[in-house]
Amino acid sequence: MKKLFLMVLGLISLNAYADPTYDATRGALQNNPALCGYGYNPNCSSGSSSAPPPKKIIYHDVKVPSKFGALAVSVKAGYIAGSLNHGSKEEAQREAVKRCRQGSRNTPCKAITWVRNGCLAAAKGKVKNNQFILSDAAGPQGTVEQTALQNCRNRGATECEIIMPEGCSLPQLQ
């Protein structure tokens, strides 16, 4: 009889835990209002969250040093050189002239254009008497090669081509 009594008691206790309508998402932890801020409580309204509002990030003016670039040409040698990412216009022009002189075997060179926080390119083309002309451009990234070619054509040249591809002097956070 004791055995029968223990079996009946065991079956009754199993039946108590086998509730088919039990919803695990409605348990004690899910209904705890302290968990509203974490999104665990589906019963929380959006306005009653106990989580603090997110902090606003305030950006202050960040001073990024400008970068300069320059192009220099030796008309006598038909040579062009450039320099990029210098701290001043003068420094960029000096370096461009120095590189031009080195590449043109010390012929006279002259700085022809410069840029601050932008890009440079140069093109050459042929005019009627078979002389070449040089056209340079300075401006925003991705535009200067087309501008140099257009400047070349605007000066009456044909067979315009890029001889100094786009090079950029752009500021960067350190």
Side-chain angles (χ1 to χ4, degrees):
M1 183 77 158
K2 284 185 180 181
K3 286 185 183 181
L4 183 60
F5 178 71
L6 287 174
M7 275 188 5
V8 171
L9 186 60
L11 289 174
I12 291 172
S13 65
L14 284 176
N15 193 23
Y17 289 108
D19 182 7
T21 61
Y22 178 73
D23 184 3
T25 64
R26 304 285 182 215
L29 284 178
Q30 286 77 13
N31 292 322
N32 185 340
L35 298 176
C36 287
Y38 299 100
Y40 292 125
N41 188 340
N43 299 321
C44 293
S45 65
S46 60
S48 67
S49 175
S50 63
K55 291 183 180 180
K56 291 183 180 180
I57 298 173
I58 299 173
Y59 294 98
H60 297 282
D61 289 335
V62 177
K63 297 193 188 240
V64 179
S66 292
K67 294 295 182 178
F68 295 84
L71 293 178
V73 66
S74 167
V75 176
K76 184 175 181 179
Y79 188 82
I80 188 167
S83 67
L84 298 172
N85 296 318
H86 293 281
S88 70
K89 170 185 159 187
E90 294 76 19
E91 183 183 339
Q93 289 176 326
R94 250 192 328 272
E95 185 64 25
V97 168
K98 177 182 165 188
R99 290 179 184 183
C100 178
R101 283 187 185 141
Q102 288 172 344
S104 66
R105 294 186 169 83
N106 290 323
T107 60
C109 291
K110 177 183 172 184
I112 57 171
T113 193
W114 64 276
V115 69
R116 175 181 174 241
N117 300 334
C119 303
L120 299 162
K124 71 173 183 172
K126 218 192 264 191
V127 290
K128 295 178 186 173
N129 56 2
N130 286 334
Q131 289 185 343
F132 285 95
I133 64 163
L134 177 69
S135 172
D136 60 82
Q141 188 173 15
T143 65
V144 293
E145 286 186 7
Q146 287 302 318
T147 303
L149 289 171
Q150 188 60 47
N151 290 347
C152 179
R153 289 188 283 270
N154 290 346
R155 293 180 68 192
T158 59
E159 301 177 29
C160 293
E161 63 181 330
I162 297 293
I163 58 170
M164 178 69 69
E166 179 180 272
C168 300
S169 291
L170 301 173
Q172 297 176 359
L173 290 174
Q174 299 167 348

